[in-house]
């Protein structure tokens, strides 16, 4: 039982602290050997970041108190955890024979090059090996197959070549195998079918094809069907050919199946209908033919079904109505025929329906107006006939309506112009007649982009309608209409007032919430602070220290529930491994899903971690904000220390931008909204909390997204409360690549450090990757001539509508001011937030013409006008 009497515990803690300080400085021979091996590897590295843990490695102290390492009770190293430290060098100089007890080796997100030495097979106790996101080359050594204790093997995003060693089939404890985004070729070894504990297999983004030594008619070995516990199978973006083995239907635990962008042929096996736990199936961009298998309709948990860009023919089966959980159905770019089945209307959860480029030849059923969750409705380029049903006006969530290039006739129903969320309507190339309804011009707040060309419409058209842009078209049409005075103008004034009023109410309640939460946590906080100051005496080397616990944020979550829900932190609930611990997902008996950040369960903790834990609690208990991750509670106990947060479905921005499929889904509107969300959170922390809070580690890793792609700032492990009139001097913290340049020489923390990191993240969202290349060009003249269109994320369709284009351009303009090398020239977060919500038309030229130089100048002129 962990709900303990705090006062008694505090006394125990203090007693332990004293005991530990005296014992920490002793060295053992094994420590010396391991220290020697690590120091000589450190010397071989040509670079590491200013914030690297390696700065604490020296021959004067035990490696057990260095940053990034953890020892067991005998003083032998069990963990080496050095992600994101800009390490440059190789693994040839790492003495793999010197660490008999090493269980965790994490060197991800660095710049290690050279190959993986086969001696790595000597780390016989290794359970976690993560070398992802480096520049490693050469082949995967077969000796990795000796690491029989491995549960997690992650080598993604390197330049590894050759084939996948058959010996990996010996790693029977493996739960998670990730080799994505390398240059691996050859076949998928059938031995992988022996990995009976595997939960996740990710081989995507390689050049895997057929095993040349054993030519069969499928590149996917049927042995994979023996992976009875597998939950995620990702073989997408390879060169897999042949047909899909029907045995894959035996993967009963599978949740997610990605096979898209390969050369797979033949029928989609009907056996896939047996994968009853499947929630996502992505088979698009292959060469599958035959009819849509009606057996797939038995997948009642399926939320995403993507079969586009194949050669499917025949009609959509009526059984499709059984896919009750479906959110996204994409069967575009096939050869489907027949009518739109009325059964589609049973899919009441559906948000996106893509049927573009098929040969559907019915009229659009009135009943589709019942699919109230629809956001995207794409029936372009089919053979649709008949009129547009006015019932589509009931689809209040609709943002995109594509009906172009069909044979639709009749007039445009007035109801389409009252859709509150619509962004784009394309009705071009049809046989529409009649007048364009005036209601279109009343859509003032967010005018959608519409395309009506190539129809038989009448009305106040521009003289040359065929060659007019939608903007010109709208201007022309609506000027004519607005010239007659109407009651609509009064209406608009009214609505502005409401908006302002709402703004004020939100402002007041924000301050109120901040105050209430400060009061609510006052007791907790004071108590914790006292404990913190006591603790600073012996911060460096404490052991078994964290017995202190506060629990019951709301009395609903109990310690036992967490242990039950995660089967005592079983790896299968792990959704990520971070610098200080692992993150788990837990479904509580109440039905609530929470995320747990668990500090490693090692006997000895290191002080960095301890500080970070305390910080996070201290800061997060003070604040409540829609765009800041919520802390529900925490537990400190020698057996396990963890923090309990709200769970955010989409994970980190970093992961999403790295994932091709997810990044494509993140359209410009969502991206701009995320940037607004982050600025809102930071503006709140800097300007509405007293004392102000500086996050100090804003990076795409620490921005989490919920199911609606709303941003939540997380990871307050390095945050600071700024006392008024004090300039905090500090050791460097933060993530390499996001740290404000002045921190390297002044070490003075101000809000402007967050502003800089925010600017980097905003650019990262627009570019789709870290803007390192752009930053290095900032002062050069080439930079000024770079066109915005050439640097934006190529995975998202180029901006066609003026409004999104304007908002992306102004985001970039603001981001550029945020990364100004002089902190005083950076705007405040409050200013940034205000700029982002008030978006007027700032750019007269078309999006394709805008250059970065123009955007920088724009902001400079604006700032000067203000002075
Ligand atoms: C410790 O390191 C310093 C410099 O890194 C070196 O000069 C010194 O000789 C080393 N001492 C031992 C005992 O290795
Ligand atoms: C690697 O470490 C082992 C054990 O400490 C030692 O015997 C060996 O000499 C080391 N090898 C190198 C190349 O330093
Ligand atoms: C690793 O990169 C460095 C430059 O950073 C280069 O000098 C070295 O040759 C590279 N090593 C290998 C094995 O590619
Ligand atoms: C490393 O492992 C190999 C077998 O994989 C063994 O032959 C060798 O002796 C080991 N080396 C050391 C230094 O332990
Ligand atoms: C991998 O190789 C490609 C092409 O040779 C190169 O452009 C890229 O920079 C390399 N990536 C890394 C991480 O070394
Ligand atoms: C060839 O592949 C089949 C099916 O994957 C397997 O049963 C067989 O053992 C393999 N043969 C060789 C020689 O590897
Ligand atoms: C592979 O080919 C053999 C005969 O060539 C055939 O019997 C078998 O069904 C084929 N397998 C698949 C998955 O198409
Ligand atoms: C399917 O999912 C349910 C609920 O998550 C789970 O209880 C069940 O064990 C899963 N089935 C298999 C075969 O994994
Ligand atoms: C749709 O196409 C099918 C097959 O080409 C044809 O049999 C049917 O009559 C067509 N329906 C309409 C309404 O044109
Ligand atoms: C409008 O539709 C026509 C015909 O489909 C197309 O050629 C044109 O490019 C579209 N215009 C815009 C701005 O999308
Ligand atoms: C790291 O610190 C050195 C001086 O100590 C400085 O020259 C360099 O610019 C810093 N690098 C970064 C990325 O902050």
């Amino acid at each position: 039982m962990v709900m303990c009497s705090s006062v008694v515990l505090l006394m125990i803690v203090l007693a332990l602290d004293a005991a530990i300080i005296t014992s920490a400085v002793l060295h053992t021979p094994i420590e010396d050997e391991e220290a020697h091996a690590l120091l000589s590897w450190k010397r071989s590295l040509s670079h590491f970041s200013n914030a690297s843990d390696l700065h604490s490695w020296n021959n004067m102290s035990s490696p057990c108190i260095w940053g990034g390492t953890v020892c067991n009770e005998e003083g032998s190293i069990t963990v080496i955890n050095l992600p994101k430290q800009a390490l440059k060098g190789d693994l040839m100089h790492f003495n793999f024979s010197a660490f008999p007890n090493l269980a965790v080796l994490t060197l991800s997100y660095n710049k290690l090059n050279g190959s993986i030495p086969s001696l790595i097979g000597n780390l016989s106790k290794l359970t976690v090996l993560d070398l992802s996101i480096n520049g490693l080359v050469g082949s995967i050594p077969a000796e990795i197959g000796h690491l029989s204790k491995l549960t997690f093997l992650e080598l993604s995003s390197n330049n590894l070549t050759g084939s996948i060693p058959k010996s990996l089939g010996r790693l029977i404890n493996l739960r998670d195998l990730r080799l994505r985004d390398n240059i691996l070729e050859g076949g998928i070894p059938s031995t992988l079918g022996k990995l009976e504990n595997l939960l996740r297999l990710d081989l995507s983004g390689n050049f895997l094809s057929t095993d040349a030594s054993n030519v069969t008619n499928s590149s996917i070995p049927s042995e994979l069907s023996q992976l009875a516990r597998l939950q995620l199978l990702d073989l997408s973006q390879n060169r897999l050919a042949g047909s899909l083995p029907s045995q894959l239907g035996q993967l009963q635990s599978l949740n997610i199946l990605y096979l898209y962008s390969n050369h797979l042929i033949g029928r989609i096996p009907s056996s896939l209908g047996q994968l009853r736990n499947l929630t996502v199936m992505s088979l698009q961009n292959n060469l599958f033919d035959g009819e849509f298998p009606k057996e797939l309709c038995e997948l009642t948990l399926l939320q995403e079904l993507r079969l586009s860009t194949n050669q499917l023919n025949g009609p959509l089966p009526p059984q499709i109505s059984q896919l009750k959980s479906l959110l996204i159905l994409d069967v575009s770019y096939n050869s489907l025929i027949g009518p739109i089945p009325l059964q589609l209307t049973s899919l009441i959860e559906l948000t996106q329906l893509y049927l573009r480029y098929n040969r559907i030849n019915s009229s659009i059923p009135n009943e589709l107006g019942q699919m109230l969750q629809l956001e995207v409705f794409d029936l372009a380029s089919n053979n649709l006939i008949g009129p547009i049903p006015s019932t589509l006006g009931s689809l209040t969530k609709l943002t995109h309506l594509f009906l172009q290039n069909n044979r639709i006739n009749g007039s445009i129903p007035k109801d389409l112009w009252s859709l509150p969320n619509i962004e784009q309507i394309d009705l071009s190339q049809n046989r529409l007649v009649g007048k364009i309804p005036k209601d279109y011009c009343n859509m003032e707040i967010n005018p959608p982009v519409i395309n009506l060309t190539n129809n038989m419409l009448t009305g106040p058209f521009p003289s040359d309608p065929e060659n007019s842009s939608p903007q010109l078209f709208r201007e022309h049409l609506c000027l004519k209409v607005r010239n007659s005075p109407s009651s609509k103008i009064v209406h608009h004034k009214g609505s502005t007032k409401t908006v302002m009023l709402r703004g004020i109410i939100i402002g007041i309640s924000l301050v109120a919430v901040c105050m209430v939460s400060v009061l609510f946590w006052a007791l907790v906080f004071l108590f914790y602070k006292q404990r913190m100051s006591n603790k600073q005496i012996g911060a460096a080397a404490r052991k078994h220290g964290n017995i202190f616990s506060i629990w019951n944020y709301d009395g609903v979550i109990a310690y036992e529930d967490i242990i039950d829900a995660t089967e005592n932190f079983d790896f299968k609930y792990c959704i990520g491994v971070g610098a200080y611990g692992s993150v788990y997902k837990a479904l509580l008996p109440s039905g609530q899903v929470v995320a747990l950040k668990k500090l490693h369960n090692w006997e000895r903790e290191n002080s960095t971690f301890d500080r970070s834990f305390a910080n996070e609690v201290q800061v997060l208990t003070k604040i409540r904000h829609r765009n800041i991750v919520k802390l529900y509670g925490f537990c400190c106990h020698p057996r396990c220390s963890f923090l309990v947060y709200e769970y955010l479905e989409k994970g980190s921005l970093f992961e999403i931008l790295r994932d091709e499929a997810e990044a494509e889904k993140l359209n410009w509107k969502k991206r701009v909204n995320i940037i607004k969300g982050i600025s809102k959170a930071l503006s709140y922390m800097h300007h509405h909390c007293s004392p102000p809070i500086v996050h100090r580690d804003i990076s795409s890793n620490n921005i989490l997204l919920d199911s609606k792609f709303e941003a939540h700032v997380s990871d307050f492990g390095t945050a600071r409360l700024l006392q008024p009139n004090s300039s905090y001097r500090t050791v460097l913290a933060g993530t390499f690549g996001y740290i404000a340049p002045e921190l390297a020489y002044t070490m003075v923390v101000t809000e402007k450090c967050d502003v800089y990191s925010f600017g980097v993240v905003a650019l990262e969202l627009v570019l789709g990757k870290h803007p390192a290349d752009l930053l290095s060009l900032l002062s050069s003249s080439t930079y000024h001539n770079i066109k915005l269109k050439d640097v934006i994320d190529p995975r998202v369709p180029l901006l066609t509508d003026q409004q999104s284009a304007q908002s992306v351009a102004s985001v970039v303009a603001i981001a550029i001011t945020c990364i100004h090398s002089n902190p005083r020239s950076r705007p405040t977060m409050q200013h940034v937030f205000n700029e982002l919500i008030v978006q007027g038309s700032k750019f007269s030229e078309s999006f394709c013409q805008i250059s970065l130089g123009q955007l920088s100048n724009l902001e400079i002129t604006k700032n000067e006008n203000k002075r």
Side-chain angles (χ1 to χ4, degrees):
M1 195 63 197
V2 176
M3 284 197 236
C4 13
S5 156
S6 312
V7 179
V8 175
L9 276 175
L10 181 63
M11 291 164 63
I12 299 174
V13 171
L14 293 177
L16 270 172
D17 273 356
I20 293 147
I21 298 162
T22 52
S23 70
V25 278
L26 300 177
H27 286 217
T28 63
I30 190 149
E31 270 177 59
D32 287 343
E33 274 185 20
E34 293 177 348
H36 179 78
L38 284 182
L39 288 174
S40 63
W41 183 57
K42 176 183 172 182
R43 280 192 299 272
S44 79
L45 298 175
S46 63
H47 180 261
F48 42 87
S49 70
N50 287 357
S52 170
D53 284 322
L54 265 59
H55 290 287
S56 65
W57 293 15
N58 60 61
N59 58 11
M60 310 299 287
S61 62
S62 150
C64 299
I65 64 168
W66 293 352
T69 62
V70 177
C71 293
N72 64 12
E73 293 211 306
E74 283 75 46
S76 176
I77 291 177
T78 54
V79 176
I80 298 175
N81 185 29
L82 300 166
K84 298 187 208 171
Q85 314 211 340
L87 309 182
K88 273 191 196 163
D90 59 42
L91 293 172
M92 301 300 176
H93 295 85
F94 191 97
N95 187 346
F96 290 101
S97 306
F99 302 96
N101 293 301
L102 194 64
V104 175
L105 179 57
T106 302
L107 299 172
S108 52
Y109 302 94
N110 283 303
K111 295 185 175 167
L112 300 174
N113 63 3
S115 56
I116 305 176
S118 55
L119 278 174
I120 200 165
N122 288 37
L123 296 172
S124 59
K125 296 259 175 70
L126 208 61
T127 61
V128 172
L129 176 59
D130 184 353
L131 304 177
S132 59
I133 320 190
N134 276 291
L136 298 171
V137 298
S139 56
I140 300 175
E143 286 79 1
I144 285 191
H146 298 168
L147 302 173
S148 61
K149 292 212 159 76
L150 269 193
T151 59
F152 181 76
L153 176 55
E154 158 68 300
L155 304 176
S156 300
S157 301
N158 281 291
N159 270 346
L160 298 171
T161 50
S163 54
I164 301 176
K166 291 192 170 55
S167 61
L168 296 192
R170 286 197 241 140
L171 302 173
I172 53 161
N173 289 307
L174 213 54
R175 307 234 184 157
D176 199 331
L177 174 57
R178 308 185 193 182
L179 305 176
R180 68 179 294 153
D181 296 333
N182 278 295
I183 316 175
L184 299 170
E185 57 189 17
I188 299 174
S190 56
T191 52
L192 296 189
K194 301 209 180 93
L195 301 175
E196 55 188 36
N197 289 305
L198 209 59
L199 303 175
R200 175 177 178 138
L201 176 58
D202 185 349
L203 307 177
S204 62
N206 281 292
F207 293 85
L208 298 173
S209 56
T210 305
D211 185 354
S213 67
N214 186 0
V215 180
T216 55
N217 42 11
S218 174
S219 320
I220 301 181
S222 57
E223 286 81 355
L224 292 189
S225 63
Q226 295 156 16
L227 301 172
R229 299 180 66 189
L230 201 66
Q231 294 172 0
L232 179 145
L233 177 59
D234 189 349
L235 306 178
S236 63
Q237 297 177 288
N238 275 294
R239 297 192 175 164
L240 302 174
S243 51
L244 263 188
S246 62
Q247 292 93 328
L248 290 187
Q250 292 164 23
L251 293 170
Q252 293 288 305
S253 303
L254 210 59
N255 287 147
I256 297 179
L257 176 61
Y258 290 129
L259 298 173
Y260 63 88
S261 299
N262 277 296
H263 306 311
L264 297 168
I265 59 167
R267 302 291 159 97
I268 297 173
S270 56
S271 62
L272 295 191
Q274 294 159 19
L275 302 173
R276 293 298 159 81
N277 271 4
L278 209 61
T279 57
V280 178
M281 180 189 278
S282 284
L283 306 183
Q284 72 270 29
N285 207 4
N286 277 294
L287 301 161
F288 290 117
D289 56 24
E291 296 202 356
F292 183 106
K294 60 178 186 302
E295 292 79 4
L296 294 189
C297 301
E298 284 157 34
L299 300 173
T300 51
L301 298 180
L302 205 60
Q303 296 180 357
E304 251 185 78
L305 178 57
R306 296 183 189 270
L307 303 175
S308 66
T309 323
N310 277 295
Q311 298 166 3
L312 301 179
N313 51 43
L316 280 175
Q319 290 90 336
I320 201 149
S321 61
Q322 297 164 24
L323 293 171
K324 294 277 189 230
S325 308
L326 210 57
L327 301 174
I328 299 174
L329 175 61
D330 187 354
V331 288
S332 51
Y333 299 95
N334 277 292
S335 303
L336 300 175
I337 55 162
I340 300 174
L342 276 184
Q343 288 83 358
L344 273 183
T345 59
S346 304
L347 306 181
I348 50 171
E349 303 283 333
L350 203 67
T351 59
Q352 298 176 26
L353 175 60
Y354 302 92
L355 290 166
R356 178 186 288 238
Y357 274 104
N358 279 290
R359 287 188 267 136
I360 310 267
N361 65 351
S362 64
S363 57
I364 306 171
N366 287 330
E367 289 82 351
L368 290 190
Q370 296 163 15
M371 302 177 73
L372 294 179
Q373 301 300 322
L374 268 191
E375 291 166 11
V376 179
F377 186 64
D378 186 352
L379 281 162
S381 302
N382 277 288
N383 298 327
L384 296 175
I385 52 171
I388 302 174
S390 63
T391 53
L392 294 190
S394 326
L395 302 176
T396 53
K397 297 202 170 160
L398 205 61
T399 57
H400 292 84
L401 176 62
F402 298 113
L403 296 174
Q404 70 269 29
N405 195 13
N406 278 292
R407 288 183 279 146
I408 298 171
N409 54 27
S411 57
I412 303 176
K414 188 169 171 293
D415 311 68
L416 284 193
W417 310 123
S418 49
L419 288 170
N421 288 304
I422 197 75
E423 289 170 22
Q424 193 172 357
I425 298 180
D426 196 338
L427 305 177
S428 62
Q429 296 202 58
N430 276 296
R431 296 171 185 179
L432 295 166
V433 295
K435 282 192 177 158
I436 299 170
K438 294 191 180 74
D439 308 67
Y440 164 61
C441 300
N442 295 333
M443 305 175 85
E444 280 290 356
I445 319 265
N446 271 323
V449 174
I450 67 164
N451 192 343
L452 302 174
T453 51
N454 280 322
N455 277 292
M456 294 175 281
L457 295 160
T458 51
F461 282 101
S463 51
D464 185 9
E466 298 287 312
N467 294 321
S468 288
S469 71
Q471 286 75 29
L472 267 180
F473 189 81
R474 178 182 158 81
E475 271 162 30
H476 186 92
L477 179 68
C478 297
L479 260 182
K480 289 256 157 93
V481 176
R482 215 173 295 133
N483 281 341
S484 56
S486 83
S487 59
K488 289 289 187 306
I489 294 167
V490 178
H491 172 77
H492 284 304
K493 273 192 188 149
S495 61
T496 326
K497 218 179 209 166
T498 332
V499 171
M500 273 176 58
L501 208 62
R502 215 183 291 151
I504 292 168
I505 291 168
I506 292 170
I508 293 173
S509 52
L510 271 184
V511 174
V513 168
C514 197
M515 282 169 60
V516 167
S517 68
V518 168
L519 281 177
F520 182 79
W521 286 99
L523 196 69
V524 171
F525 182 55
L526 279 178
F527 184 61
Y528 206 86
K529 239 179 143 175
Q530 183 192 350
R531 151 102 180 102
M532 290 299 296
S533 54
N534 285 330
K535 213 179 58 169
Q536 270 145 17
I537 310 162
R542 297 191 317 102
K543 184 159 120 179
H544 300 305
N546 272 325
I547 306 177
F548 180 74
S549 89
I550 292 176
W551 200 247
N552 264 8
Y553 152 68
D554 59 5
V556 177
I557 305 169
Y559 174 79
E560 282 75 15
D561 289 343
I562 301 267
I563 299 301
D564 287 352
T566 57
E567 298 174 34
N568 199 7
F569 293 98
D570 190 295
F571 193 79
K572 74 180 170 214
Y573 298 99
C574 183
I575 52 176
V577 182
Y580 298 121
S582 309
V583 182
Y584 294 76
K585 176 181 172 183
L587 173 65
L588 301 177
S590 62
Q592 189 180 12
V593 179
V594 294
L596 307 167
K597 182 149 97 183
K598 177 171 178 285
L599 322 180
H600 285 304
N601 201 8
W602 318 110
E603 296 300 311
R604 188 188 303 223
E605 291 134 13
N606 73 39
S607 58
T608 335
F609 170 71
D610 223 29
R611 267 201 313 274
S612 139
F613 182 83
N615 246 320
E616 184 131 10
V617 171
Q618 197 180 0
V619 170
L620 278 177
T621 48
K622 272 177 68 84
I623 48 183
R624 302 268 112 178
H625 187 273
R626 172 190 165 89
N627 295 105
I628 296 175
V629 70
K630 286 185 190 57
L631 176 68
Y632 293 139
F634 59 93
C635 173
C636 267
H637 188 272
R639 301 258 90 219
C640 64
S641 331
F642 55 82
L643 296 137
V644 188
Y645 306 91
E646 71 178 312
Y647 173 69
L648 297 161
E649 293 83 345
K650 290 284 175 187
S652 78
L653 190 56
F654 177 86
E655 289 283 340
I656 289 191
L657 289 179
R658 207 162 69 103
D659 184 304
E660 292 300 315
E662 288 290 331
E664 268 172 43
K665 275 189 249 166
L666 207 57
N667 62 28
W668 293 114
K669 190 175 173 192
K670 287 182 184 140
R671 290 183 191 218
V672 171
N673 200 40
I674 290 167
I675 293 169
K676 282 184 197 163
I678 304 169
S679 72
K680 204 164 161 186
L682 290 175
S683 171
Y684 166 81
M685 287 162 56
H686 293 175
H687 302 287
H688 295 273
C689 283
S690 174
I693 297 164
V694 183
H695 185 286
R696 300 207 304 160
D697 193 11
I698 294 292
S699 75
S700 55
N701 255 304
N702 295 337
I703 307 297
L704 305 181
L705 303 183
D706 64 20
S707 59
K708 302 206 165 91
F709 294 96
E710 182 87 34
H712 298 254
V713 175
S714 79
D715 217 331
F716 285 74
T718 54
R720 277 295 160 111
L721 307 177
L722 278 194
Q723 297 302 335
N725 309 326
S726 80
S727 57
Y728 252 109
R729 294 190 158 262
T730 176
V731 291
L732 193 57
T735 302
F736 182 72
Y738 298 85
I739 305 170
E742 71 273 14
L743 273 180
Y745 49 87
T746 65
M747 297 288 173
V748 176
V749 180
T750 68
E751 290 95 334
K752 294 296 177 69
C753 310
D754 281 353
V755 176
Y756 180 90
S757 312
F758 165 83
V760 177
V761 173
L763 287 177
E764 185 172 356
L765 256 161
V766 174
L767 270 56
K769 57 174 191 193
H770 189 278
D773 299 341
L774 204 60
L775 295 183
S776 64
L777 287 176
L778 265 184
S779 45
S780 74
S781 57
T782 41
Y783 158 80
H784 279 262
N785 299 327
I786 297 173
K787 291 269 191 283
L788 184 53
K789 76 164 168 48
D790 294 329
V791 294
I792 62 172
D793 193 344
R795 296 169 297 188
V796 191
L798 199 68
L799 292 141
T800 49
D801 70 296
Q802 185 67 10
Q803 206 201 355
S804 310
Q806 288 277 354
S807 56
V808 170
S810 49
V811 160
V812 174
I814 294 167
I816 289 173
T817 62
C818 292
I819 55 171
H820 200 289
S821 57
N822 180 354
R824 272 188 229 125
S825 303
R826 292 175 208 149
T828 64
M829 269 337 284
Q830 181 106 57
H831 177 79
V832 170
F833 176 59
N834 290 343
E835 284 289 307
L836 286 173
I837 51 171
V838 199
Q839 291 205 350
S841 296
K842 293 170 189 159
F843 316 103
S844 41
E845 52 284 88
S846 91
F847 186 77
C848 291
Q849 299 302 322
I850 300 175
S851 71
L852 296 184
Q854 257 168 310
L855 291 175
S856 329
N857 292 337
L858 181 93
E859 280 298 317
I860 290 164
T861 0
K862 249 178 33 200
N863 288 344
E864 276 165 1
N865 288 345
K866 232 171 275 150
R867 274 184 216 127

